[in-house]
Amino acid sequence: SSMQKKLIKVNPTDNVAVALVPLASGENIVFEGENVSILSDVKAKHKIALVDLNVGDRIIMYGVLVGKASQFIAKGDLLSTSNVKHESDKVTGKTETIGWSAPNVDKWKDRTFLGYHRQDGQVGTENVWLFFPLVFCENRNIEILKDIFEKELMKPKENDYQLLLRSLVNAESGVDGNEGKSNEADLFNNIEVKFITHQGGCGGIRQDSHSLAKLLAGYVNNPNVAGATVLSLGCQNLQIQIFKDALNEINPNSNKPVLIYDQQQIGTIEAMLSSVVKDSFEAIKKANQQARKPAPLSKLNIGLECGGSDGFSGISANPTLGQMSDLIAALGGSTILSEFPELCGVEQELVNRCTDEKDGKRFLELMQWYEKSVVDAGSGFDMNPSPGNIKDGLITDAMKSAGAAKKGGTSPIVGVSDYGEYISKPGLNLLCTPGNDVECTTAMVGSGANVVLFTTGLGTPTGNPVAPVIKVSSNSELAAKMSDIIDIDTGGIIKGEKSIDEMADEMLEFVIQVASGTIKTKAAILNQNDFIPWKRGVSL
């Protein structure tokens, strides 16, 4: 359409442009008052050179170095993995302090969401009773519990524990014997029961167990969790005491119910599971008495993430998240920008946005440690873009990073945290995690996120057991094709129909509905409960 622009330059200093639509070789485009003749077929989302680039010339996009020409690239020709190599500027420290003018939030400041108020002042967007193991040896017992709790609280199937839980449920709801399920569904209308399994807790280096203990403690402390049932074998690296210490470190005054069972102490699986079923049922019944009540938007803690990114992610979906992050920061809420391999190349701006010099230093130290560990493992950040990213126009890590960093908006950075540290500072926080979708979501929720916003250009089904994950598409084709996983479509920005500000307002409105329990995310409808801890060994 004539409305639709064909090319976009994201920063005035860029020497490349992004194709908004497919371009044909031989096409002539007038762009920014200049004639650009297209020299080869260019798929939408891919980049063309706006000037002749000689070997070694710097390629600038989003105003930062995203690569260097490895061959001559003529003006109007396509950038590809064969003529561009990854390159990013080295950063040693803060060079300036970047000012911020907060967006006007008058229309939001009195808005509330309906959440679960916890005794420590945090507010949950969900009310979840969580079952998890301290070690993989207990995964099977968690699976058995998942089976009986889900079947009994959803649809009946017989076994001994089932009958035990059935009789407890029936006694509670005044149903005699096995007379069907009339009131059982109503009995637990304010609580969800979720189950986590993992491959950790033993056999790795001791640091992995401590790291996992912090993550699991963060899940218990997350405001979306009402309480937890924890299974331990007994002899594993991740001792019960290590887990309790981690819990105490995050929240010394927590009085959240946590039921812990040690199989080697108790004896038989039957004895353990019978206790677990009885005790957990009582605890879940109590947790179900919590009701949603109004809370200010400052109680939102939003994880910002991208996965399955395409060449439009950094132009539509991620800047929308950035604008929304700025609104949340201005309202006194918290947001989390993570995925450190995807901040490679934009460090200077992030360091300059840190309000505390110490945070800028810590950010660079974490980045250097991470990059070194990846190189030691025989890889590098330049290996970060996935085949899907590359096919869709993200041909270097720095190019992917420059678009990914847009999720953090423009607000000051109030804190820098390492993996497993719990975040409570209002404003934008940086958290060291892998870029890997599930490991990253898992980490942000363990650090306190009560909602996650997740942008994608290619489509990914990722969800989380305790926090709603809202899926945002960068283009309308994806939203139409994978309508069962996409919640919000920002493709209108690419088509020139909507501004980023308008889209961010729609997004915040949607977040309020999800946080209040009135809209269920697609990931929740699909029952997508992904949980993968980061084995620090190496993960990218």
Side-chain angles (χ1 to χ4, degrees):
S1 73
S2 57
M3 279 285 297
Q4 169 89 60
K5 288 197 300 185
K6 291 187 171 181
L7 288 172
I8 187 172
K9 194 162 93 170
V10 282
N11 183 293
T13 62
D14 293 356
N15 57 13
V16 297
V18 185
L20 292 171
V21 292
L23 306 173
S25 177
E27 217 177 307
N28 270 306
I29 297 173
V30 176
F31 182 67
E32 296 193 339
E34 264 192 63
N35 256 330
V36 180
S37 34
I38 304 301
L39 301 183
S40 39
D41 289 344
V42 179
K43 291 193 292 211
K45 310 177 191 179
H46 286 258
K47 325 291 181 280
I48 64 152
L50 290 175
V51 294
D52 284 351
L53 295 164
N54 292 304
V55 175
D57 279 358
R58 293 163 61 92
I59 295 164
I60 305 295
M61 187 174 168
Y62 292 98
V64 297
L65 175 69
V66 294
K68 284 193 175 167
S70 57
Q71 300 174 5
F72 173 73
I73 309 170
K75 175 180 170 177
D77 213 350
L78 173 70
L79 273 61
S80 70
T81 48
S82 55
N83 60 20
V84 174
K85 65 175 197 301
H86 166 78
E87 186 87 36
S88 62
D89 274 325
K90 292 291 155 259
V91 179
T92 52
K94 199 165 178 166
T95 54
E96 59 170 319
T97 298
I98 297 176
W100 186 54
S101 47
N104 182 321
V105 287
D106 288 349
K107 65 171 166 188
W108 299 107
K109 62 180 193 304
D110 300 324
R111 290 290 301 277
T112 56
F113 70 96
L114 294 172
Y116 293 95
H117 293 248
R118 306 297 177 197
Q119 279 171 333
D120 61 4
Q122 296 188 93
V123 180
T125 63
E126 307 267 347
N127 196 29
V128 172
W129 187 271
L130 197 56
F131 287 79
F132 61 84
L134 292 182
V135 63
F136 52 73
C137 312
E138 291 297 328
N139 281 350
R140 180 178 170 271
N141 290 330
I142 293 285
E143 295 290 356
I144 292 171
L145 290 165
K146 180 178 196 293
D147 200 46
I148 68 168
F149 273 85
E150 284 186 349
K151 284 201 176 111
E152 198 48 48
L153 301 182
M154 317 292 162
K155 46 189 190 302
K157 182 178 183 263
E158 318 302 341
N159 73 28
D160 291 343
Y161 308 117
Q162 209 69 58
L163 296 172
L164 167 60
L165 186 55
R166 166 90 42 88
S167 63
L168 292 169
V169 169
N170 288 344
E172 198 59 36
S173 54
V175 176
D176 298 336
N178 289 333
E179 269 179 32
K181 300 178 54 67
S182 53
N183 308 329
E184 293 162 31
D186 317 340
L187 186 62
F188 295 106
N189 52 359
N190 259 338
I191 187 95
E192 279 187 282
V193 185
K194 290 293 179 83
F195 302 80
I196 281 175
T197 56
H198 58 78
Q199 305 307 313
C202 204
I205 55 173
R206 289 288 196 271
Q207 292 93 312
D208 280 337
S209 293
H210 282 271
S211 172
L212 180 59
K214 286 169 82 166
L215 180 73
L216 292 169
Y219 269 72
V220 172
N221 199 59
N222 187 295
N224 293 3
V225 173
T229 299
V230 183
L231 302 191
S232 159
L233 178 62
C235 54
Q236 73 273 2
N237 282 354
L238 208 183
Q239 288 288 298
I240 289 173
Q241 195 52 51
I242 294 176
F243 170 66
K244 285 181 168 169
D245 291 346
L247 211 48
N248 190 50
E249 197 183 324
I250 289 179
N251 196 341
N253 308 313
S254 175
N255 49 7
K256 219 176 243 192
V258 181
L259 313 175
I260 304 179
Y261 300 84
D262 196 311
Q263 189 178 341
Q264 289 168 347
Q265 286 292 314
I266 296 167
T268 66
I269 289 175
E270 187 189 355
M272 178 170 78
L273 293 185
S274 298
S275 298
V276 169
V277 169
K278 285 191 199 127
D279 303 346
S280 302
F281 175 75
E282 285 307 318
I284 290 166
K285 200 172 76 188
K286 218 171 148 188
N288 182 60
Q289 290 161 9
Q290 288 252 14
R292 290 182 181 270
K293 298 193 176 78
L297 301 185
S298 59
K299 295 292 181 183
L300 290 171
N301 184 344
I302 299 182
L304 308 165
E305 186 178 352
C306 50
S309 298
D310 71 349
F312 286 161
S313 292
I315 296 169
S316 57
N318 292 350
T320 302
L321 254 63
Q323 174 60 21
M324 211 207 87
S325 173
D326 287 353
L327 292 172
I328 296 291
L331 287 162
S334 306
T335 58
I336 305 173
L337 181 65
S338 52
E339 301 177 277
F340 274 26
E342 294 171 21
L343 300 178
C344 166
V346 291
E347 295 99 333
Q348 190 65 68
E349 185 213 324
L350 295 174
V351 167
N352 290 350
R353 280 167 61 189
C354 288
T355 49
D356 187 329
E357 201 93 19
K358 283 201 305 284
D359 285 326
K361 244 183 83 158
R362 188 173 195 210
F363 170 57
L364 290 179
E365 280 163 11
L366 285 167
M367 286 293 282
Q368 279 149 10
W369 163 82
Y370 203 153
E371 189 152 21
K372 181 184 181 305
S373 68
V374 173
V375 171
D376 290 348
S379 185
F381 278 177
D382 56 330
M383 298 302 288
N384 178 25
S386 69
N389 295 148
I390 292 165
K391 185 174 72 61
D392 257 38
L394 299 175
I395 58 172
T396 72
D397 183 50
M399 192 180 280
K400 183 176 173 179
S401 294
K406 291 287 160 209
K407 300 192 302 288
T410 57
S411 70
I413 292 164
V414 297
V416 175
S417 299
D418 198 0
Y419 180 80
E421 292 174 354
Y422 203 83
I423 286 171
S424 49
K425 277 189 187 161
L428 176 64
N429 293 266
L430 299 183
L431 175 67
C432 183
T433 77
N436 173 315
D437 300 355
V438 177
E439 283 173 299
C440 171
T441 316
T442 299
M444 291 195 296
V445 174
S447 290
N450 57 7
V451 175
V452 175
L453 278 165
F454 189 122
T455 71
T456 181
L458 305 174
T460 159
T462 310
N464 182 271
V466 310
V469 178
I470 299 169
K471 223 54 79 29
V472 182
S473 77
S474 69
N475 64 86
S476 301
E477 291 68 34
L478 171 65
K481 182 174 161 195
M482 298 180 88
S483 55
D484 58 335
I485 68 170
I486 298 296
D487 297 292
I488 299 174
D489 173 23
T490 63
I493 293 168
I494 299 297
K495 297 193 287 253
E497 298 162 357
K498 267 184 194 159
S499 72
I500 286 168
D501 284 357
E502 288 167 330
M503 203 67 241
D505 280 354
E506 279 179 41
M507 187 177 275
L508 183 47
E509 205 56 74
F510 191 89
V511 167
I512 292 170
Q513 300 294 314
V514 169
S516 303
T518 47
I519 291 182
K520 216 174 156 157
T521 61
K522 300 286 176 73
I525 293 165
L526 290 174
N527 209 10
Q528 192 82 37
N529 298 304
D530 306 305
F531 180 86
I532 304 179
W534 182 15
K535 212 171 164 302
R536 252 342 209 326
V538 102
S539 196
L540 238 183

